[in-house]
Amino acid sequence: MKQLLWKDLITLRPLAIAVVAGILLFQLFITAGQFIFSDVQFDIDPYLLVWILMPNLMAMGTPAMLVGNEEEARTFQWLRTLPVRWQRIVDVKFLVGLAGLLTIWAVASLVMAIAVLLIDDASSPMADDVLHPIGVTRLLFFSVLLLICGFITAYLVRSPMGGLILLVPVILLASWFAVGVVQTILFGHFDVYGSLNNVSKSAIQKSAIFALGYLFVLWCIQRLLGRRRLVSVERAPLLVSHEIVRPYQPPIEQVLKRPSRVYALLWQQLEQTKWFLGMLTFAGFVVLFAWYISPQRQDAHIQILAQVALGVISSWLGALAFYGDTVRGRSVYFADHGVRPSMIWGTRIGPPLVCCLFLAGVGVWMSGGASMAAILFAAFAFGQLAATVTPRATLGLLTAPLYPAFSLSILAPFFGLYPNYIYTVIFIFPVLLLATWRISSRWLEQRRDVWFQWTVIAFVLIAFVTPMVIVAGLRYSSMPSIDSNWRAEMSQRSLAIAKMQTKFEQDEFSKTVSVSIFAPDYREPDFGNLNERLLAELEDLQEIGDEVKYGEINALFRIEEILLRQQGWTVDEIAEMKRNALKVLATWADVVRKKATHGASTLYQVSSVADFSEEYLLRYVDTIQGTDEQISEIVSRIPDEELRRRSRTVALLQAWDDYQRHPWKKVTVDTWRYERRFANKVLNDPTTFLSLERARSDRFLDEAVQLTLDQLEHGLPRDGSPEFERRADYWTEFAGPRVFKNVYNAPQFADLFQNWTLDHETAIGVLRQRYSQSD
């Protein structure tokens, strides 16, 4: 008994070490990534995912290692010759697997407990669901269920790969049945989910009894299948060797030409992997099709789930490249018979690579992006490397998805800063293919010596660094050059504005006046004296927005007139109040623009007050009631085209000069990020710790300002035109790369100029012309 235990413990040890290392490394990478993207509070959900997934990986891989390894080593017949009862062999394997699973659960739970203690606020919907005794019990039940179902499929199917593939539908059906029965016991209906707080203790006890009985029945089934595997092997159809029962037949005279060596090797690879390749390709196509027809396909969680599933499938396709030869020990045979390593490598990589190309093509067609194909190829490359590096075929098959998972965890902080460049992970593919080609000769000879290990490590490091170097090169090469003459001219113009500004008295602005008119005012406006306050605002503009706020004007135009009439207002009074509101908006726009021409209004005030006030006027001036004279009075207050152009030009020059006079500075003393302000918006995204990104923002600001000033001088573009999009792209590049959002929210600098269009100018011109003719 001790020897059997020791043998299975030694067999399971590599998988346990890999899972424990995965737990620690994943938690470390998650912490590093959250340190970069979350300055305020860490998210508990990534730690919960590792805590849940890694023990289940142990549960899934244990039967394949303990039973599949016996198949690889061809030791089942040897076990039958030992004076040991089959019950001990089967029970020892299950006990070792259960002990390993519980040990991994203990390690993962300890790491999870440390993460919960270090995180200030561990509250989330996922945490509330699993971080309590019933939630932990449910997770542990599923892991044990996965372990038992894994033993069932491992004893039923001779191939470890076939057992893993069969495990997917088996565990889905087994868990679906268990959940359905438990929900029926607790809530009375098969498909109803409710709160456990309203469930009686007797119902919970009945559910626990059913769960234990269900596991016991499945345990008995796996025990019977183990007996069938060890004792009555001739009764198992999947295990029958047809070569033994086939009668002797004389050799058939050779008629066809002898196939070439390449053709023979390709046929051999297809013959030993065709079912696995077909099933994995079909599974990948099903995932892509389900994602494509899903009504929530744009949801970030659905996308991540689909990409993870496709990544696992691609890594297994890569692992199949060398899986069959490793299981059958053909590598040494090829080496002894002088087959060129390059030929072996090419014929082994070819068939699974064609399947990966098919899935990548379908993924690009369905998703419309190259990132999906890049992830699939990177996962395939890591899978084929895992199959080459790992001595045991089953272990290489199980750990194949861990290789891309580790790599993506390492690269996640980097691509969190540059998500638009995820497609560069495709360059991992040629590097790792070159790695397996270089080590193929030693793999054939089974010489995993020091040179072999260091070569693999070197290529893996190169694979990690390659996407980063490519992204850095793309960012640097796309950085505009410095235009010294233009900057000198801008400095002279800004100096003239600064001298003019000192001679002009500035008016105060209420803090709420710059709130977007599209934002709702949650404070109920007082319509009883709104008209009086509108008139007071028109008479006294020492503090713009002091008497009335944008939100109140917005509420006035959005509320139904029937509600105003219920408050005692007549139709004429409502129309007068709306006309006065539009007068206030037009006056605000006029005052802000006139002061901007003297450098007394900022670009932010010009955009958020003047531009939006004019937009509001264009939207509602034709909807209010009044005579032509009353409407003409409102329209006459709207600034003319020349005033708009000069105010925008001076405000933009002033904002550029203010940016130059305030250099980059650290957000806080202890942080690594820098910040800088432009037009009252703060630029402090996580990439600002790189001097390259700071210099890139400075240069794109020059390009954006130069293009915008040129458009102001020679004519503004139409909304949606190529020149409009080009200007928006420049301002977006100035804001830095589109990082994944968490606490940081990227400022939208292009929004400052969304009304700087020919459409806006034409609409105001038509309005002014129409009512001037009516006068």
Side-chain angles (χ1 to χ4, degrees):
M1 189 71 172
K2 290 181 180 179
Q3 292 174 342
L4 289 175
L5 283 171
W6 182 250
K7 178 180 71 69
D8 287 339
L9 285 173
I10 293 298
T11 303
L12 197 61
R13 182 176 61 182
L15 179 62
I17 293 174
V19 172
V20 171
I23 293 172
L24 299 177
L25 289 176
F26 276 131
Q27 301 283 21
L28 179 62
F29 297 148
I30 290 171
T31 303
Q34 298 214 56
F35 177 77
I36 293 176
F37 298 111
S38 181
D39 294 339
V40 180
Q41 179 180 323
F42 280 11
D43 187 6
I44 193 67
D45 288 345
Y47 298 96
L48 291 171
L49 290 175
V50 175
W51 175 57
I52 295 171
L53 292 177
M54 297 308 290
N56 287 324
L57 177 63
M58 184 71 182
M60 182 180 67
T62 294
M65 287 294 295
L66 295 180
V67 180
N69 185 69
E70 304 283 3
E71 181 65 36
E72 290 180 18
R74 297 176 176 85
T75 54
F76 271 119
Q77 293 181 354
W78 171 74
L79 287 174
R80 287 196 295 270
T81 63
L82 297 178
V84 182
R85 299 174 59 192
W86 67 268
Q87 292 92 335
R88 282 196 173 184
I89 298 175
V90 174
D91 292 342
V92 163
K93 291 184 181 298
F94 179 77
L95 288 176
V96 169
L98 183 63
L101 176 63
L102 295 178
T103 302
I104 296 300
W105 260 110
V107 174
S109 300
L110 177 62
V111 176
M112 185 67 220
I114 296 174
V116 171
L117 292 176
L118 294 179
I119 296 176
D120 296 333
D121 185 10
S123 61
S124 73
M126 187 176 179
D128 297 338
D129 190 42
V130 299
L131 288 181
H132 56 79
I134 296 179
V136 175
T137 303
R138 182 171 54 191
L139 295 175
L140 188 59
F141 167 79
F142 178 80
S143 295
V144 177
L145 179 64
L146 182 61
L147 177 70
I148 297 175
C149 290
F151 274 111
I152 290 175
T153 58
Y155 287 130
L156 187 62
V157 180
R158 181 172 58 182
S159 168
M161 185 66 183
L164 288 174
I165 294 176
L166 183 62
L167 177 60
V168 176
V170 169
I171 189 60
L172 287 177
L173 292 174
S175 59
W176 174 78
F177 176 75
V179 170
V181 174
V182 170
Q183 296 301 115
T184 303
I185 295 174
L186 293 177
F187 306 111
H189 297 281
F190 184 79
D191 58 348
V192 174
Y193 288 82
S195 174
L196 293 175
N197 297 326
N198 302 324
V199 178
S200 63
K201 292 184 178 179
S202 61
I204 296 178
Q205 291 175 355
K206 291 179 182 178
S207 300
I209 293 173
F210 163 75
L212 293 175
Y214 186 58
L215 293 178
F216 178 75
V217 171
L218 293 178
W219 177 81
C220 292
I221 293 175
Q222 68 88 27
R223 204 165 184 262
L224 291 175
L225 289 174
R227 176 184 181 276
R228 188 185 189 189
R229 187 72 174 271
L230 289 167
V231 178
S232 53
V233 65
E234 67 280 358
R235 298 181 183 178
L238 293 175
L239 302 179
V240 170
S241 176
H242 297 285
E243 299 296 332
I244 298 176
V245 299
R246 181 181 299 168
Y248 171 77
Q249 295 178 352
I252 301 175
E253 183 179 356
Q254 184 176 354
V255 178
L256 301 176
K257 277 183 69 175
R258 183 178 181 180
S260 65
R261 184 170 291 185
V262 173
Y263 178 83
L265 291 173
L266 279 174
W267 179 87
Q268 188 182 61
Q269 174 71 339
L270 287 172
E271 189 66 21
Q272 65 188 0
T273 60
K274 59 184 179 182
W275 294 111
F276 301 143
L277 290 176
M279 287 186 288
L280 288 175
T281 306
F282 178 75
F285 179 78
V286 169
V287 171
L288 284 170
F289 183 74
W291 179 33
Y292 181 72
I293 65 174
S294 173
Q296 299 177 337
R297 58 175 303 194
Q298 299 299 330
D299 184 70
H301 296 87
I302 299 297
Q303 291 182 4
I304 292 175
L305 183 62
Q307 290 174 358
V308 169
L310 291 170
V312 171
I313 291 172
S314 296
S315 63
W316 276 345
L317 284 174
L320 283 177
F322 304 103
Y323 171 76
D325 293 331
T326 304
V327 168
R328 293 166 177 80
R330 287 201 184 104
S331 57
V332 178
Y333 170 83
F334 291 141
D336 291 342
H337 285 72
V339 182
R340 287 189 295 111
S342 297
M343 184 180 296
I344 297 296
W345 177 85
T347 54
R348 267 42 191 165
I349 289 289
L353 182 57
V354 170
C355 297
C356 186
L357 283 169
F358 170 75
L359 291 179
V362 175
V364 171
W365 175 70
M366 288 185 175
S367 64
S371 299
M372 173 64 72
I375 292 174
L376 293 183
F377 283 121
F380 178 89
F382 276 108
Q384 57 95 34
L385 180 67
T388 310
V389 173
T390 310
R392 295 179 180 178
T394 304
L395 183 62
L397 194 66
L398 291 172
T399 56
L402 290 180
Y403 280 74
F406 281 142
S407 66
L408 291 178
S409 298
I410 295 172
L411 294 173
F414 178 77
F415 284 109
L417 298 175
Y418 299 101
N420 289 347
Y421 294 89
I422 291 181
Y423 64 88
T424 57
V425 299
I426 197 172
F427 292 100
I428 293 176
F429 177 72
V431 174
L432 295 185
L433 285 185
L434 179 62
T436 54
W437 178 76
R438 287 285 298 166
I439 63 177
S440 58
S441 59
R442 304 231 172 187
W443 168 75
L444 289 172
E445 299 172 2
Q446 296 295 302
R447 286 194 301 151
R448 294 180 172 87
D449 50 11
V450 176
W451 184 92
F452 182 92
Q453 302 296 337
W454 279 109
T455 302
V456 171
I457 293 173
F459 274 103
V460 169
L461 292 177
I462 293 173
F464 285 151
V465 173
T466 299
M468 302 182 187
V469 173
I470 291 174
V471 171
L474 292 174
R475 299 292 290 178
Y476 180 80
S477 62
S478 61
M479 184 169 60
S481 58
I482 299 176
D483 191 342
S484 301
N485 296 331
W486 180 85
R487 288 180 61 85
E489 180 186 351
M490 286 288 290
S491 299
Q492 293 296 327
R493 296 175 67 181
S494 301
L495 182 61
I497 294 173
K499 293 179 179 179
M500 177 176 56
Q501 182 181 1
T502 57
K503 301 177 182 180
F504 199 89
E505 181 182 357
Q506 297 189 43
D507 283 340
E508 295 293 332
F509 283 81
S510 174
K511 294 181 179 178
T512 56
V513 74
S514 60
V515 176
S516 172
I517 59 175
F518 301 109
D521 185 10
Y522 295 102
R523 181 178 64 84
E524 183 67 25
D526 184 8
F527 291 108
N529 64 348
L530 179 59
N531 199 36
E532 289 78 7
R533 289 190 288 114
L534 288 170
L535 294 174
E537 181 72 20
L538 289 171
E539 293 175 0
D540 185 9
L541 288 174
Q542 290 184 355
E543 184 176 354
I544 296 176
D546 182 38
E547 297 292 340
V548 65
K549 306 296 184 295
Y550 260 139
E552 294 177 300
I553 296 177
N554 191 35
L556 173 64
F557 281 91
R558 297 202 173 202
I559 196 171
E560 296 290 339
E561 286 195 12
I562 188 173
L563 298 177
L564 292 174
R565 292 178 187 178
Q566 290 176 357
Q567 299 181 13
W569 293 91
T570 64
V571 175
D572 293 337
E573 289 173 336
I574 295 172
E576 181 186 1
M577 191 158 45
K578 288 185 176 180
R579 289 194 301 270
N580 289 333
L582 293 184
K583 286 180 186 179
V584 168
L585 292 177
T587 304
W588 281 352
D590 185 67
V591 170
V592 169
R593 291 202 183 280
K594 286 180 179 178
K595 294 186 180 300
T597 58
H598 296 84
S601 295
T602 65
L603 176 63
Y604 184 75
Q605 292 167 347
V606 168
S607 177
S608 61
V609 179
D611 286 342
F612 283 126
S613 294
E614 293 167 357
E615 182 68 25
Y616 211 83
L617 281 161
L618 290 172
R619 184 185 305 178
Y620 289 106
V621 72
D622 289 329
T623 65
I624 61 174
Q625 298 179 6
T627 63
D628 290 343
E629 290 77 10
Q630 292 172 332
I631 304 300
S632 296
E633 182 185 358
I634 298 173
V635 174
S636 64
R637 294 173 181 261
I638 300 177
D640 58 26
E641 182 179 358
E642 180 61 23
L643 179 58
R644 282 195 301 277
R645 187 188 63 80
R646 287 190 290 111
S647 65
R648 289 168 172 170
T649 301
V650 174
L652 184 56
L653 287 169
Q654 186 182 4
W656 180 88
D657 182 65
D658 185 67
Y659 182 86
Q660 307 304 319
R661 289 186 286 106
H662 296 84
W664 291 94
K665 65 176 182 179
K666 284 192 173 183
V667 177
T668 60
V669 178
D670 299 328
T671 191
W672 39 266
R673 291 193 312 181
Y674 288 77
E675 69 176 7
R676 206 169 181 180
R677 291 179 178 270
F678 179 82
N680 207 38
K681 292 178 179 283
V682 181
L683 180 67
N684 64 346
D685 67 85
T687 62
T688 53
F689 78 97
L690 297 170
S691 59
L692 169 65
E693 293 298 332
R694 297 198 298 272
R696 202 171 186 276
S697 294
D698 294 343
R699 297 192 185 183
F700 263 105
L701 175 64
D702 289 353
E703 292 291 317
V705 170
Q706 186 176 6
L707 177 61
T708 307
L709 288 174
D710 183 70
Q711 291 179 353
L712 286 170
E713 186 69 24
H714 298 93
L716 292 170
R718 290 191 176 276
D719 188 8
S721 65
E723 286 300 314
F724 178 87
E725 297 298 335
R726 181 186 172 202
R727 186 181 70 193
D729 290 341
Y730 277 4
W731 286 108
T732 302
E733 291 290 345
F734 164 62
R738 181 180 61 83
V739 300
F740 283 128
K741 306 298 187 299
N742 193 350
V743 176
Y744 167 74
N745 291 317
Q748 303 295 325
F749 290 101
D751 292 345
L752 293 170
F753 313 98
Q754 64 179 3
N755 287 328
W756 296 25
T757 61
L758 182 61
D759 308 74
H760 184 81
E761 300 301 307
T762 302
I764 293 179
V766 170
L767 185 66
R768 290 173 63 89
Q769 184 179 8
R770 183 169 75 240
Y771 283 98
S772 63
Q773 291 176 354
S774 65
D775 291 342

